[in-house]
Amino acid sequence: MLKIWGRTSSINVQKVLWCCAELNLKYERVDAGGKFGVNNTPEYLALNPNGLVPTINDDGFVLWESHAIVRYLSHRHGMGTLWPRDEQVCADADRWMEWYSTTLWNSLRPVFWNLVRVEPGKRDMKLVEESRKKMADNLKMVENNLAARQYVAGTALTMGDIPLGVALHRWFLLPIERPDYPRLAAYYERLKQRPGFAQHCAGPLS
Ligand SMILES: N[C@@H](CCC(=O)N[C@@H](CS)C(=O)NCC(=O)O)C(=O)O
């Protein structure tokens, strides 16, 4: 059976758990990372030398990097759903996953980290404000993209929505100023209707 290591509060673990829910996959999950430790043991480091979560073991095939895992599971179990059959739609979905890694996460991370993980007196509020503005600019692109579509790559949910969905949940819950992006807000509401997103990704920030 598919085995997943990772604490449920991790944004990267949440992507994998939501993906599994969309694909109706059964799995065994082991708490790892943060207060659970495990990720710094020799046994875990032999699986994932980064010492980070998530890691999966799919009948002997070990994989880490959340987007690689989402792509692998989507390709294997979600042909025509999370993994679009049309090559161009698939590339479009993949593009938004890459864009999350190279662009969106760089602006989200400092805001999330300072406001959620750092205690009030020690927060770098100048960086928070700079990053908040960058994230607003980044998300304007998604707002524009949603003008003609319901999900990032078209009319149906794909793997491309998974990183964006977990990022948007943070954007809407963080105590920050947000421009009015009505399509993005409607998209976030659509994602929240999905049981897998509601169960694994829509909890309080921690
Ligand atoms: N690029 C990696 C990043 C993994 C990562 O940074 N994981 C964090 C949690 S979100 C982690 O393991 N932190 C250490 C810990 O939880 O102890 C991925 O997408 O899987």
Side-chain angles (χ1 to χ4, degrees):
M1 185 193 280
L2 177 65
K3 188 165 174 180
I4 302 171
W5 285 263
R7 57 186 168 87
T8 57
S9 57
S10 151
I11 189 168
N12 293 306
V13 174
Q14 288 174 5
K15 294 171 196 167
V16 174
L17 299 180
W18 178 19
C19 177
C20 287
E22 291 291 344
L23 297 170
N24 286 316
L25 295 181
K26 289 198 168 46
Y27 55 84
E28 175 199 348
R29 190 183 60 78
V30 177
D31 273 322
K35 68 177 182 189
F36 300 101
V38 176
N39 54 328
N40 49 12
T41 61
E43 292 78 15
Y44 188 86
L45 290 169
L47 297 173
N48 181 348
N50 299 288
L52 297 172
V53 292
T55 301
I56 66 164
N57 184 332
D58 189 23
D59 287 330
F61 174 61
V62 175
L63 190 63
W64 39 263
E65 277 302 327
S66 60
H67 291 188
I69 295 169
V70 167
R71 287 188 186 97
Y72 165 74
L73 294 175
S74 299
H75 191 249
R76 190 151 195 217
H77 303 284
M79 186 57 67
T81 58
L82 288 188
W83 185 280
R85 279 185 203 281
D86 182 295
E87 285 167 6
Q88 292 180 352
V89 178
C90 195
D92 190 359
D94 188 35
R95 173 254 304 276
W96 288 106
M97 297 176 80
E98 285 292 300
W99 179 79
Y100 169 103
S101 300
T102 59
T103 307
L104 190 62
W105 179 237
N106 294 335
S107 56
L108 168 58
R109 188 180 185 282
V111 183
F112 174 78
W113 193 261
N114 276 283
L115 297 184
V116 177
R117 297 278 164 81
V118 178
E119 54 187 91
K122 297 187 176 160
R123 293 174 180 165
D124 183 344
M125 294 310 289
K126 185 168 172 287
L127 178 63
V128 167
E129 183 52 14
E130 282 167 11
S131 304
R132 181 198 69 78
K133 284 187 186 148
K134 267 190 214 154
M135 192 173 182
D137 289 347
N138 293 157
L139 289 177
K140 179 84 181 152
M141 293 167 56
V142 184
E143 171 75 3
N144 292 340
N145 181 53
L146 290 169
R149 43 182 69 187
Q150 293 206 301
Y151 295 92
V152 284
T155 52
L157 184 101
T158 65
M159 61 185 177
D161 294 291
I162 290 181
L164 275 177
V166 292
L168 274 190
H169 179 63
R170 281 151 184 79
W171 167 253
F172 280 111
L173 256 64
L174 283 166
I176 52 173
E177 184 188 328
R178 283 175 289 274
D180 188 25
Y181 291 150
R183 293 182 204 118
L184 209 59
Y187 170 61
Y188 175 54
E189 289 306 315
R190 271 196 293 286
L191 296 181
K192 282 199 291 184
Q193 301 305 313
R194 306 193 74 90
F197 183 85
Q199 183 184 350
H200 299 294
C201 309
L205 303 183
S206 62

